[in-house]
Amino acid sequence: MAPTIQTIGISNGGGDCPGLNAVIRGAVRASILGHGWRVVGINDGFDGLIWTDRTVPLTVESIAGILPRGGTILGTTNRGNPFHYDIEENGKKVTHDYSHICCENMRKLELDALIAIGGDGTLTIARDLGKLGIPIVGVPKTIDNDLSATEVTFGFDTALHVATDAIDRLHTTAESHGRVMVIEVMGRDAGWIALHSGIAGGADVILLPEIPFTIETVCEYLRKRAATGKKFSMVVVAEGVKLPPLDPFGKPFPAPRPGQVGFLIGDAIHTLLKKDVRVTVLGHIQRGGSPSPFDRILATRFGVEAVELIARGEFGRMVCLRAGEIESVSLDEAVGETRLVDPKSTMIRTARAIGMNFGDYA
Ligand code: F6P
């Protein structure tokens, strides 16, 4: 039986992502215009459900103009798991379980349901809050595109445009100076941004977390390429690549901090190849700015379908894209499994067919 809904909450957690505002807009408009519900924005991830002064009414008027805006009007955080909330008390780190406060505050705020937008971490918390009785639905978000239950997440397409544009721009300098350019893109566990932007940008080498590589193999390939008269090369690196055990001096590579892996690989290539190497780390530029049309549309469809899940009383589920259609999957199925690049996929075979190298063999 469809539940009686008067008011819903919307929260987003984890890193920001182009398209978050489009989901919020889609959900607010579908709730108000389609169902006559009230909508409350929960600020700063689940923090806004722990401290209720961090909430804001969302109306058709108050969200006007947010569709093309990057970031999120609700603010976000990738800390603050209500089940294990770390705070400092008298100079010491103490961990609290605030999940029951979230349940109480749902009642205090008179929220009949909650939409949680996020990546694997946020959606896991959403699933667990659902198990405590909060009527919750999820929307998948990450530029990394590594959630297993959906073909694509919003944010990926925008990040791909940024990364491809950067590779195009770096290509011209590489060509003019005869350099090796190393471009580090995001992708903590999966190499989707590196693979797609590498193919779209015409990279020569693409290094992914899913394909083990050696610096020697990369350099052998770059030497062969130089021997055919190519004076420059483009090497795209996913930030999550697993470095080989030893650097060219036979010493262990240090465990890289975020944004460092491209430099370690660039230095190692320079050491072996004795060529001019330059490194660019794209970092959060990939998460910033206005979402692409594809992401705006996908995010809008996700936001509207999240509202329809609530209207039908289908809680504990996450909206997803399958064969181009918006569907849903249980949050239990949706979390915990990272969608990785399959080294045997047609995408990898396509790249190899046109001479791209993955550092596994030259
Ligand atoms: O998960 C998305 C992502 O952009 C990763 O690619 C990256 O490792 C991480 O977020 C960076 O997060 P932060 O904003 O905390 O530096």
Side-chain angles (χ1 to χ4, degrees):
M1 204 180 70
T4 307
I5 303 285
Q6 286 182 333
T7 309
I8 68 161
I10 301 181
S11 79
N12 53 221
D16 70 338
C17 178
L20 275 169
N21 285 326
V23 179
I24 295 166
R25 173 178 175 271
V28 169
R29 290 181 72 98
S31 298
I32 296 172
L33 303 177
H35 297 280
W37 303 340
R38 266 185 348 114
V39 187
V40 173
I42 313 290
N43 286 332
D44 305 330
F46 291 110
D47 281 10
L49 212 50
I50 301 171
W51 294 280
T52 50
D53 54 336
R54 300 197 201 174
T55 54
V56 56
L58 296 175
T59 63
V60 171
E61 292 71 32
S62 76
I63 54 139
I66 68 170
L67 176 63
R69 271 169 60 185
T72 163
I73 57 162
L74 297 178
T76 189
T77 170
N78 48 17
R79 279 187 281 273
N81 179 342
F83 290 90
H84 311 277
Y85 203 100
D86 291 334
I87 54 166
E88 216 179 276
E89 277 174 9
N90 305 322
K92 276 198 193 142
K93 194 183 95 177
V94 188
T95 305
H96 289 285
D97 180 354
Y98 288 149
S99 54
H100 59 284
I101 298 184
C102 295
C103 297
E104 274 162 39
N105 285 338
M106 283 291 291
R107 281 188 286 276
K108 269 194 204 149
L109 292 165
E110 298 181 340
L111 300 181
D112 302 306
L114 184 68
I115 296 175
I117 315 163
D120 198 63
T122 302
L123 294 170
T124 303
I125 297 169
R127 178 201 60 190
D128 295 344
L129 288 174
K131 288 188 174 156
L132 291 183
I134 294 185
I136 202 160
V137 299
V139 177
K141 165 240 68 158
T142 164
I143 66 161
D144 290 1
N145 200 25
D146 60 358
L147 294 179
S148 64
T150 184
E151 266 166 27
V152 63
T153 49
F154 69 87
F156 172 65
D157 185 67
T158 307
L160 180 56
H161 275 75
V162 173
T164 304
D165 180 58
I167 296 169
D168 286 349
R169 286 167 191 274
L170 292 165
H171 233 118
T172 59
T173 299
E175 222 167 336
S176 307
H177 289 259
R179 284 174 177 160
V180 174
M181 297 301 243
V182 174
I183 306 111
E184 181 187 314
V185 299
M186 277 187 167
R188 189 172 29 206
D189 303 305
W192 295 106
I193 298 176
L195 177 60
H196 285 238
S197 67
I199 293 175
D204 304 298
V205 177
I206 305 174
L207 300 179
L208 307 174
E210 295 88 346
I211 301 183
F213 69 96
T214 69
I215 301 292
E216 289 73 15
T217 310
V218 170
C219 290
E220 198 185 326
Y221 172 83
L222 295 179
R223 271 192 216 101
K224 281 187 189 164
R225 183 176 144 79
T228 67
K230 302 280 187 191
K231 294 197 170 62
F232 71 94
S233 292
M234 306 293 290
V235 179
V236 175
V237 177
E239 66 173 343
V241 286
K242 321 258 177 322
L243 285 168
L246 300 178
D247 71 11
F249 300 107
K251 290 203 196 111
F253 271 110
R257 281 181 284 110
Q260 212 190 13
V261 79
F263 285 98
L264 293 172
I265 290 170
D267 284 351
I269 293 175
H270 171 71
T271 304
L272 285 188
L273 220 54
K274 307 271 179 291
K275 255 193 87 101
D276 232 5
V277 178
R278 292 290 187 274
V279 179
T280 304
V281 178
L282 292 189
H284 291 81
I285 286 172
Q286 295 157 97
R287 285 215 321 236
S290 187
S292 68
F294 178 89
D295 280 338
R296 294 182 198 188
I297 294 166
L298 181 62
T300 302
R301 294 173 81 192
F302 277 171
V304 170
E305 184 57 20
V307 166
E308 294 316 315
L309 282 180
I310 292 175
R312 296 196 295 270
E314 294 182 32
F315 298 115
R317 297 189 72 76
M318 181 193 85
V319 299
C320 62
L321 189 77
R322 287 191 172 158
E325 292 300 324
I326 305 293
E327 296 184 8
S328 73
V329 61
S330 80
L331 278 167
D332 259 330
E333 266 179 81
V335 299
E337 198 190 324
T338 308
R339 198 171 71 88
L340 297 175
V341 173
D342 175 0
K344 295 196 178 75
S345 62
T346 52
M347 194 67 102
I348 298 279
R349 292 212 303 272
T350 299
R352 290 198 199 271
I354 57 164
M356 288 178 168
N357 185 270
F358 291 91
D360 49 348
Y361 55 86

